Amino acid sequence: MKNHGKLFLISAASGTGKSSLINTVLSRLEKDSLSVELSISHTTRLPRKDEHESKDYFFINRDSFTVKIKNNFFLEYAKVHDHYYGTSRSFVEEKLASGINLILEIDVQGVDQIKQLSLPSQSIFLLPPSLESLEDRLSLRGSNSADSIKLRLQNAFSELPKCSTYDHILINDDFYSCSQELIDIIKGEHKSPYNSKIQEFLDKLLS
Ligand code: 5GP
């Protein structure tokens, strides 16, 4: 495959605030000449009340998802919180070939799959300021049932240790500096790899 653009793989637990962060970063990067877009995934999850078809996700049913798996439609896909999510192969290939960098907001399983492919990519794990903040944000969202919140928190807790396999770890405790760090990563100017501050923070988060 002809490749010019690069992939930025961003994982974070639900409620970490990654969508707001990514939207801010995208609008700030619009002013620069760097071309970056957000990939739109397919999912079998039902839309939330503020979500729109083909903008937030391509919402499809389980049968259509299964057919797409068989047709090798997905570059990667995974079952996350009881629903399927996947990234379209052709969408990614076309964007990269035309020199567009793409942000993929995908879970740890998806990142593992993309890392097996020979595509230029950087992985970024976004940590929440605390586990309480995750629960608060999920409850405030109002579109998750108590069971769904519980499942999302359990998954968040079990996936946090996997952050050490990512190229970059960011803590979303200060929105402005976190978005600046993400911009620096995308521009290739980020200079703080995994360090003791992050290890300390992670130990506290998991204790
Ligand atoms: P949500 O239901 O809150 O939109 O997303 C739930 C989880 O699915 C998040 O961790 C998100 O990163 C992940 N996700 C969204 N799209 C994809 C995708 O295309 N592939 C994979 N592997 N995970 C995805």
Side-chain angles (χ1 to χ4, degrees):
M1 187 191 9
K2 208 168 67 164
N3 266 312
H4 301 298
K6 203 172 186 182
L7 294 177
F8 295 94
L9 315 172
I10 305 187
S11 297
S14 297
T16 307
K18 65 176 176 301
S19 300
S20 330
L21 191 80
I22 291 170
N23 289 334
T24 299
V25 165
L26 285 173
S27 60
R28 285 181 59 193
L29 281 171
E30 237 174 42
K31 297 182 199 101
D32 296 335
S33 51
L34 201 66
S35 173
V36 191
E37 291 181 15
L38 179 63
S39 167
I40 303 166
S41 296
H42 286 65
T43 183
T44 60
R45 169 169 79 60
L46 291 174
R48 298 189 183 115
K49 57 179 183 307
D50 55 341
E51 288 180 328
H52 299 99
E53 167 62 27
S54 315
K55 183 174 170 283
D56 297 290
Y57 280 107
F58 296 103
F59 295 97
I60 61 174
N61 64 31
R62 196 78 158 242
D63 287 346
S64 309
F65 202 96
T66 309
V67 171
K68 287 186 185 300
I69 294 174
K70 285 199 186 117
N71 292 341
N72 199 24
F73 175 87
F74 294 115
L75 188 66
E76 64 73 37
Y77 71 92
K79 190 177 182 194
V80 192
H81 317 312
D82 282 343
H83 299 288
Y84 284 90
Y85 297 81
T87 305
S88 156
R89 182 185 301 280
S90 58
F91 182 90
V92 170
E93 288 180 354
E94 281 162 25
K95 295 288 181 188
L96 294 187
S98 42
I100 297 168
N101 297 290
L102 266 187
I103 295 181
L104 268 53
E105 201 188 316
I106 60 177
D107 86 318
V108 293
Q109 306 168 76
V111 171
D112 281 348
Q113 292 172 45
I114 302 241
K115 288 284 180 190
Q116 313 287 325
L117 310 170
S118 52
L119 290 173
S121 69
Q122 290 272 298
S123 57
I124 301 125
F125 198 102
L126 185 64
L127 289 171
S130 67
L131 288 179
E132 292 74 33
S133 70
L134 285 186
E135 191 165 1
D136 290 349
R137 285 183 71 112
L138 287 172
S139 308
L140 275 176
R141 209 186 254 172
S143 50
N144 290 301
S145 64
D147 280 350
S148 155
I149 293 178
K150 201 171 153 207
L151 180 64
R152 282 165 187 262
L153 285 172
Q154 278 167 354
N155 289 349
F157 196 73
S158 63
E159 285 179 358
L160 285 177
K162 297 199 183 132
C163 70
S164 57
T165 63
Y166 280 62
D167 299 315
H168 305 273
I169 302 174
L170 302 182
I171 305 169
N172 194 12
D173 52 355
D174 178 276
F175 190 81
Y176 183 81
S177 61
C178 193
S179 50
Q180 187 57 51
E181 279 194 85
L182 186 51
I183 288 172
D184 291 346
I185 291 170
I186 294 171
K187 287 181 164 177
E189 295 166 359
H190 190 254
K191 293 197 180 52
S192 73
Y194 194 61
N195 60 27
S196 57
K197 178 190 164 220
I198 288 176
Q199 186 58 56
E200 248 172 61
F201 183 83
L202 203 56
D203 290 345
K204 207 168 120 214
L205 204 63
L206 293 170
S207 63

